[in-house]
Amino acid sequence: MLKMAPSQHKLVVSALCIFGLSTAFVWSRYYKSAAFERPFHFSILTFLFSGLALSAYARYILGLESSSYAPLSNGDASPKSFLADILRSPLRFRYLSPSFALLLFCLVSRTILYWRTIRTIHCSSDGLQSFLPFLLIILDILDLRPVRLARHGHDTQAHAPGASSVLMKYALIALLWGLAATDTLLLSERTTGAICPAGPYIERLIPLAQLVTLALDALVISQIGKLRQGSQGHSKTWHLLGTLFLTSAGILAFLGIWSSIDRASFQWNVFLTWLAVGDLVIDSIAVTTGIVSAVYLLGYFHVTLLSLLLTTPSIFVYLQWRIMDGTMINVWSNWWGLITGVWLFWGAGILFHFGKAATLQFQSSSEGVVSRNRYGFYALIAFLLVFCQAIFLSPGGFRPTPSPIIANARSESDAWIAKAGKSRSLKDAVSEYRERYGVPPPPNFDKWYDFATSVKSPVIDTFDQIHADLLPYWGTLPSILRQRTTHLLEHPSLSMGGIIIEGGKVDISPHIHGTHRWMMDVTREMLDPFAQWLPDMQLAFNLDDECRISVPRDRMDAYMEEGLKARARLAAKQDLLPFSNAQDPPWMKEYLNADDSIWNEKSPWFSDQSKRQIFYEWISPTCPADSPVNKYRWWNRKAECPECSAPHMTNGFVSNWTLSGDLCHQPDLAYLHGVLLSSSAMAPSHTLFPVFSQSRLYNFADILYPSPWNYGEKVEFENNRSMPWEEKLNSVYWRGASSDGFAVHGAWQTFLRARFVHMPAKARMTVRAKSLFNLLPSRRDLFSIRSTTATPPSPPPSQTIAPPDNDRLAINVSFVGNFNRCDERDCRAEHITFYGSADATPPPSLDFQEHWHHRHLVDLDGAAFSGRFLPFLKSGSLPYRAALFRTWWEERVHAWRHFVPLDARLADLWPAVSYLSRGGSGGGSAEADEIAQAGREWALEALRKEDMQVYMFRLLLEWGRLVDDRREDLGFAA
């Protein structure tokens, strides 16, 4: 730094510290702050704060002494009049210069482009901000001119001799540094698999929009640098910049108001959550602090040095994230990753030296070679320190495997199964029930026990799922439960099917669409063998795939508390009664004779949320106030959130399947599942209605029951098609439809099934193959993959049964048929992306029994749970399951013992497949065979149709007690 007064030196050092800290702070919040998801709100607030701060600095710190510039007010004006003058100042166009117009255009344009980039962030390229120093050097080359660094107290009439050649040299270094930085981010990126659609769509232009945005940023920084280092009045420059930012805020506010004509945009622009407001204020203040300090520093330093201080914190913060999640050690263990890492640090040191030299206007120096290159040496030392950090702090080692998790799951599963069926008599079962659940079993428990033992049910004692589902309903009066059930059946437009049990006979409500009638027919078939032992009741079954009941956390806690009190009163009773013969008020029946006008009745308790994101209205309220979903928003649907999955994962694999379904610690899943982002048919309620559903999200309160789809054997494993593990193809197989949501406004690009089908091409890439410098696929891949993601479809089974090559893994996944859950634009985009062209013939559906020829079968959520999973278990192949929806059998089917659990982000899919498909030393093929056989044996023993009836019988005995007015007196005593 050049000589300056001590007080001035302190101000510059302070400004440097403030700039560095504010930049690092903002970058550290980039993924978690709701501010970045709202570029217009963020920019308007930031420009407003910056304009006020710069104008205030010009007035109160520097003073406006030039009468020709028309000061805002006299010296003794009140703060109120000062603020009014500042807000009026953008209207004084006679003071505006060409620089002002250029800067205004750049600021407004870059905000619009950034808004468009954020909307499809998954099509963006990370790390492009690292080319900012290169662009600024290019601008310097194009504009060689005399520069006056007035704050240093001397003028420089021209660049030093040879400055142009020096600039060219450093431009090359800056370009290579930008490439290394971008390449490092690309090599270490952990993405969700979000898809940028193929074909002529605007999303493909997002990288170009990023480059234009970067060029505009470079122009802004360059122009502000010229103003600060020019010959104009010092205070006038600050006030001009203040006016610039205030004018930009006003224009953007006008554009935001104009866009709010659309209803969806109006809701997004106006109805902000407190979390969003807090993030906007905090981050706007932080960015404003950085802008003001940067404007101050541009009077003392070359723009390249400031741009380096702006970009390096973002890269350093990113590297720290990747070090802590174990990614960087894998990148730097590859020779190419190590080279780019070394140049990333060394190049930064060289550019820092250039920034200092440029600030000195390339004046000759007596520094020696070592002294001139000391910053490069400092950077190399910094790299060695960071490299050591990566070695010692990376979790899980270089290549962790799920073997320890598998061993632990085996022992836990064996213990659960032994405990679940330990009762050997009715007396033992009653005693075990009281010990487990703290209350006596329901009336007719002996009939249930006789039924369960007659069909040889391996599960007698463990039905925690039922008690967890019903506990909140204990906190509601029986009469209210009956009234709410009747309300559901009185409004068939809610897509509810009714079952009426009276006098031991089962009837079906007449108000059911023909397309769903089969569900109630199968349910009645399930109930008939034990209906004579059930009390009179009416049941409302959800006919839609999606779950329905989402109760806010505070209300659910109140229900649970009251439920525990009610059960405690029951536990204290000595004389237990059987089911009552009648209720008061009785079950309503008038709706059974209603005409077709009943279909026009609308319930005020349910709202249509189809084709809308439901996460922040229907998931977040069910979570504790201090949970991650209520503390921050992971808005970047492209970037994986390691800490979001950390609670349920160990060394990159799911270790807690139950917790993996809890959305309260996973805010990033708001954009990664079709049901959460744009469901096909979602009509939820915040009220605790007693709705029986085949599956539900963890955070919903629907009562789970065995699915008619499985009981009715809509898809089933045919025993005569079974094959030994050794004869199965060593391949990953999946066929299906894009049914996990309705694709509108590009929502399909992050759906679970779409991400899965699109992933195989990326699975084959080595670290070297991901590099910007080698866009062609590497010949030495992690897998040797024969992908059939698009046409042509697989040959008939008779042609695919050949001696498998067990040393090679094949990937055989594809959508089938046309896309129909989408609007016209999205249907076309999906067709082009997955089938190659708009007129390509879709692969046809194959015989479901084709699955059994393959070792690795993947089960994915659709609009709700997938009905394939139970047949997969019975097949002897190895099921992999990626699901947020939970079903009745969750507690009895165990992850890593009967199937391979997958995180919904799918980052663990290929590591798991790679390990479990590989034989020999270091491979897990033997463990895969063991899991597959254990799943088959357990499914044939505990997931039969009889086991579904056992579960349903017990569930309805419990429910019959719940809706009885004397429920705190009912029970069975051995």
Side-chain angles (χ1 to χ4, degrees):
M1 185 179 293
L2 295 177
K3 293 182 179 180
M4 60 182 69
S7 60
Q8 199 174 38
H9 183 275
K10 291 180 180 179
L11 285 174
V12 171
V13 171
S14 298
L16 278 172
C17 293
I18 293 172
F19 180 73
L21 290 174
S22 61
T23 303
F25 175 78
V26 171
W27 281 117
S28 69
R29 289 173 52 84
Y30 175 69
Y31 290 110
K32 293 184 176 182
S33 173
F36 291 95
E37 191 180 23
R38 298 173 177 271
F40 265 76
H41 296 81
F42 192 16
S43 297
I44 291 170
L45 207 55
T46 299
F47 291 166
L48 176 62
F49 289 168
S50 298
L52 293 175
L54 293 170
S55 298
Y57 182 83
R59 175 177 175 81
Y60 289 110
I61 306 301
L62 301 175
L64 297 176
E65 300 176 355
S66 175
S67 58
S68 63
Y69 192 65
L72 291 176
S73 62
N74 56 41
D76 57 355
S78 66
K80 182 177 180 179
S81 63
F82 165 63
L83 181 61
D85 284 341
I86 287 179
L87 295 177
R88 285 196 300 267
S89 62
L91 301 177
R92 300 173 180 178
F93 292 109
R94 64 181 181 275
Y95 303 119
L96 304 187
S97 64
S99 294
F100 182 95
L102 176 61
L103 287 169
L104 183 63
F105 171 79
C106 290
L107 288 176
V108 174
S109 299
R110 69 97 52 213
T111 300
I112 296 173
L113 288 173
Y114 183 62
W115 165 79
R116 191 63 190 85
T117 301
I118 290 297
R119 287 191 63 186
T120 46
I121 190 69
H122 48 284
C123 292
S124 66
S125 296
D126 292 334
L128 293 183
Q129 71 271 17
S130 55
F131 289 99
L132 186 59
F134 168 72
L135 292 177
L136 286 168
I137 295 175
I138 294 299
L139 289 175
D140 222 9
I141 293 174
L142 297 176
D143 189 28
L144 287 175
R145 61 182 180 81
V147 175
R148 179 178 185 271
L149 293 177
R151 257 56 65 199
H152 288 304
H154 73 278
D155 295 339
T156 301
Q157 297 301 322
H159 283 282
S164 179
S165 61
V166 173
L167 285 171
M168 291 296 295
K169 178 180 71 174
Y170 280 105
L172 178 61
I173 294 173
L175 176 63
L176 293 176
W177 182 77
L179 290 171
T182 304
D183 212 42
T184 298
L185 268 63
L186 181 63
L187 295 175
S188 60
E189 69 176 354
R190 293 182 57 167
T191 69
T192 60
I195 304 164
C196 193
Y201 293 98
I202 192 172
E203 291 92 334
R204 308 296 297 183
L205 299 178
I206 292 303
L208 176 61
Q210 288 182 276
L211 291 174
V212 174
T213 302
L214 189 66
L216 294 173
D217 290 341
L219 275 173
V220 169
I221 295 174
S222 177
Q223 288 298 313
I224 293 178
K226 290 177 183 178
L227 290 173
R228 288 284 289 122
Q229 298 168 6
S231 57
Q232 299 182 31
H234 188 32
S235 59
K236 179 178 178 180
T237 299
W238 282 83
H239 188 74
L240 179 67
L241 294 176
T243 302
L244 167 71
F245 283 106
L246 289 172
T247 306
S248 300
I251 293 175
L252 292 174
F254 170 78
L255 293 176
I257 294 172
W258 182 69
S259 69
S260 297
I261 296 175
D262 176 71
R263 179 180 179 183
S265 298
F266 178 79
Q267 291 179 334
W268 175 257
N269 291 339
V270 176
F271 296 103
L272 277 65
T273 63
W274 286 113
L275 175 64
V277 172
D279 284 345
L280 283 168
V281 172
I282 292 172
D283 290 316
S284 295
I285 292 175
V287 175
T288 297
T289 304
I291 289 175
V292 173
S293 57
V295 170
Y296 180 82
L297 291 171
L298 282 172
Y300 299 89
F301 297 107
H302 191 267
V303 291
T304 305
L305 186 60
L306 262 295
S307 69
L308 199 63
L309 293 175
L310 179 64
T311 55
T312 50
S314 68
I315 297 172
F316 181 78
V317 169
Y318 180 87
L319 289 179
Q320 289 301 308
W321 286 337
R322 296 288 83 93
I323 287 172
M324 299 309 295
D325 63 33
T327 303
M328 288 313 303
I329 192 63
N330 292 325
V331 173
W332 286 340
S333 62
N334 175 275
W335 67 270
W336 181 255
L338 187 61
I339 289 175
T340 57
V342 170
W343 178 248
L344 175 64
F345 280 77
W346 191 27
I350 296 174
L351 288 176
F352 187 83
H353 172 75
F354 164 75
K356 178 182 176 183
T359 299
L360 296 170
Q361 295 297 305
F362 305 106
Q363 294 177 0
S364 60
S365 173
S366 59
E367 291 181 316
V369 175
V370 174
S371 179
R372 287 199 304 270
N373 293 280
R374 63 184 182 274
Y375 296 113
F377 290 113
Y378 296 158
L380 289 178
I381 293 173
F383 173 76
L384 290 176
L385 293 174
V386 173
F387 186 78
C388 292
Q389 179 193 16
I391 293 176
F392 292 109
L393 296 184
S394 294
F398 283 85
R399 290 180 177 85
T401 71
S403 187
I405 303 176
I406 294 174
N408 184 61
R410 185 186 301 117
S411 60
E412 289 183 354
S413 176
D414 291 344
W416 188 95
I417 292 173
K419 190 176 181 181
K422 72 176 185 177
S423 294
R424 293 294 179 263
S425 67
L426 175 60
K427 182 178 180 181
D428 291 343
V430 172
S431 176
E432 183 68 21
Y433 186 105
R434 279 184 171 272
E435 182 178 346
R436 284 174 179 263
Y437 305 118
V439 294
N444 293 342
F445 184 78
D446 55 335
K447 305 300 186 296
W448 172 85
Y449 179 82
D450 291 341
F451 181 83
T453 53
S454 69
V455 297
K456 296 181 172 56
S457 171
V459 179
I460 298 295
D461 301 306
T462 305
F463 289 86
D464 296 350
Q465 182 73 60
I466 291 177
H467 290 269
D469 287 354
L470 299 187
L471 179 56
Y473 294 92
W474 278 91
T476 306
L477 293 175
S479 59
I480 293 179
L481 293 178
R482 297 196 299 271
Q483 291 170 7
R484 289 179 177 175
T485 299
T486 301
H487 178 85
L488 295 172
L489 300 181
E490 286 175 337
H491 295 81
S493 61
L494 293 174
S495 193
M496 296 288 173
I499 289 288
I500 295 90
I501 301 174
E502 187 171 3
K505 295 183 179 180
V506 182
D507 289 317
I508 301 174
S509 170
H511 310 298
I512 300 175
H513 283 300
T515 54
H516 292 85
R517 172 77 187 197
W518 70 269
M519 294 177 64
M520 293 298 93
D521 289 336
V522 172
T523 302
R524 178 168 60 180
E525 179 186 340
M526 191 190 315
L527 302 183
D528 278 339
F530 52 83
Q532 60 182 315
W533 307 113
L534 297 176
D536 293 352
M537 67 177 78
Q538 297 179 10
L539 304 167
F541 290 89
N542 177 20
L543 300 178
D544 287 341
D545 293 324
E546 295 83 354
C547 42
R548 311 297 286 273
I549 306 303
S550 168
V551 181
R553 182 73 178 200
D554 55 346
R555 275 189 263 167
M556 180 59 77
D557 287 343
Y559 283 129
M560 303 281 271
E561 183 179 354
E562 289 300 317
L564 290 173
K565 292 178 181 179
R567 289 171 65 87
R569 291 191 292 269
L570 170 60
K573 297 295 175 61
Q574 298 298 321
D575 298 325
L576 300 174
L577 303 176
F579 288 119
S580 303
N581 293 323
Q583 309 299 333
D584 184 23
W587 290 99
M588 301 291 291
K589 299 179 182 179
E590 288 78 3
Y591 68 91
L592 294 174
N593 300 316
D595 57 24
D596 287 345
S597 63
I598 194 175
W599 288 94
N600 299 323
E601 299 293 332
K602 302 298 181 183
S603 171
W605 301 100
F606 290 79
S607 62
D608 183 10
Q609 298 295 316
S610 302
K611 306 176 188 178
R612 303 178 190 176
Q613 188 189 61
I614 67 167
F615 195 89
Y616 294 105
E617 184 178 355
W618 299 94
I619 300 296
S620 296
T622 69
C623 299
D626 60 348
S627 62
V629 297
N630 290 317
K631 292 177 65 177
Y632 63 87
R633 292 186 66 161
W634 192 276
W635 57 269
N636 191 329
R637 62 197 71 188
K638 174 185 178 181
E640 183 186 342
C641 175
E643 68 182 82
C644 298
S645 58
H648 62 262
M649 300 191 77
T650 301
N651 293 337
F653 300 99
V654 175
S655 56
N656 189 328
W657 174 248
T658 301
L659 193 60
S660 71
D662 186 355
L663 296 171
C664 292
H665 66 275
Q666 305 181 77
D668 59 326
L669 293 186
Y671 297 101
L672 300 180
H673 197 289
V675 170
L676 300 175
L677 186 57
S678 179
S679 61
S680 296
M682 174 64 76
S685 173
H686 282 310
T687 303
L688 190 65
F689 279 89
V691 175
F692 289 77
S693 293
Q694 302 172 79
S695 66
R696 69 154 189 259
L697 295 169
Y698 183 96
N699 303 72
F700 275 61
D702 302 50
I703 302 167
L704 295 176
Y705 78 103
S707 169
W709 180 273
N710 292 132
Y711 188 86
E713 299 178 333
K714 287 291 186 177
V715 291
E716 191 58 26
F717 169 71
E718 297 177 5
N719 284 317
N720 62 345
R721 304 292 292 273
S722 64
M723 299 174 60
W725 176 266
E726 295 76 14
E727 296 180 11
K728 293 176 183 283
L729 296 170
N730 189 23
S731 57
V732 177
Y733 185 82
W734 186 86
R735 288 292 186 278
S738 179
S739 60
D740 43 341
F742 192 93
V744 60
H745 303 309
W748 64 271
Q749 296 162 21
T750 56
F751 284 1
L752 177 64
R753 292 190 172 192
R755 290 186 290 114
F756 166 73
V757 174
H758 199 255
M759 285 180 69
K762 293 185 178 181
R764 59 192 299 232
M765 299 180 70
T766 61
V767 170
R768 177 71 175 87
K770 294 180 181 179
S771 173
L772 283 172
F773 300 94
N774 185 22
L775 297 178
L776 296 176
S778 173
R779 292 184 178 182
R780 298 181 63 186
D781 300 322
L782 292 175
F783 307 112
S784 177
I785 293 177
R786 300 190 298 274
S787 178
T788 59
T789 301
T791 55
S794 296
S798 60
Q799 298 180 32
T800 61
I801 302 302
D805 181 359
N806 291 332
D807 294 329
R808 300 179 62 182
L809 176 71
I811 308 296
N812 193 333
V813 303
S814 175
F815 284 124
V816 296
N818 290 310
F819 297 95
N820 48 40
R821 294 195 178 192
C822 41
D823 63 15
E824 183 177 354
R825 180 186 185 274
D826 286 282
C827 284
R828 180 180 175 85
E830 287 186 89
H831 200 101
I832 294 174
T833 300
F834 293 108
Y835 298 151
S837 66
D839 55 356
T841 302
S845 299
L846 299 179
D847 183 359
F848 186 72
Q849 306 304 313
E850 166 68 11
H851 285 85
W852 323 138
H853 300 137
H854 307 270
R855 290 183 179 177
H856 308 276
L857 304 179
V858 181
D859 182 67
L860 304 167
D861 277 344
F865 82 112
S866 167
R868 312 177 190 188
F869 184 73
L870 295 189
F872 284 3
L873 276 178
K874 298 174 183 178
S875 69
S877 294
L878 180 62
Y880 296 74
R881 186 173 180 224
L884 295 180
F885 281 89
R886 296 298 187 252
T887 62
W888 70 274
W889 41 257
E890 296 297 335
E891 62 184 342
R892 66 176 66 191
V893 180
H894 306 139
W896 295 112
R897 179 56 170 161
H898 304 130
F899 70 98
V900 177
L902 296 176
D903 183 63
R905 298 157 191 81
L906 300 178
D908 54 340
L909 170 60
W910 302 120
V913 169
S914 176
Y915 175 74
L916 294 169
S917 64
R918 190 170 62 247
S921 178
S925 181
E927 290 174 299
D929 186 10
E930 179 184 352
I931 295 172
Q933 298 314 312
R936 171 181 168 82
E937 293 170 4
W938 183 241
L940 295 175
E941 182 181 357
L943 296 171
R944 305 161 300 160
K945 295 176 68 172
E946 294 85 350
D947 298 299
M948 299 180 197
Q949 289 177 314
V950 168
Y951 187 94
M952 195 67 166
F953 191 176
R954 181 148 169 173
L955 171 63
L956 294 186
L957 285 180
E958 298 284 0
W959 184 251
R961 175 164 62 178
L962 258 175
V963 295
D964 195 305
D965 290 324
R966 299 188 301 172
R967 67 186 183 188
E968 295 179 16
D969 298 309
L970 303 187
F972 174 83

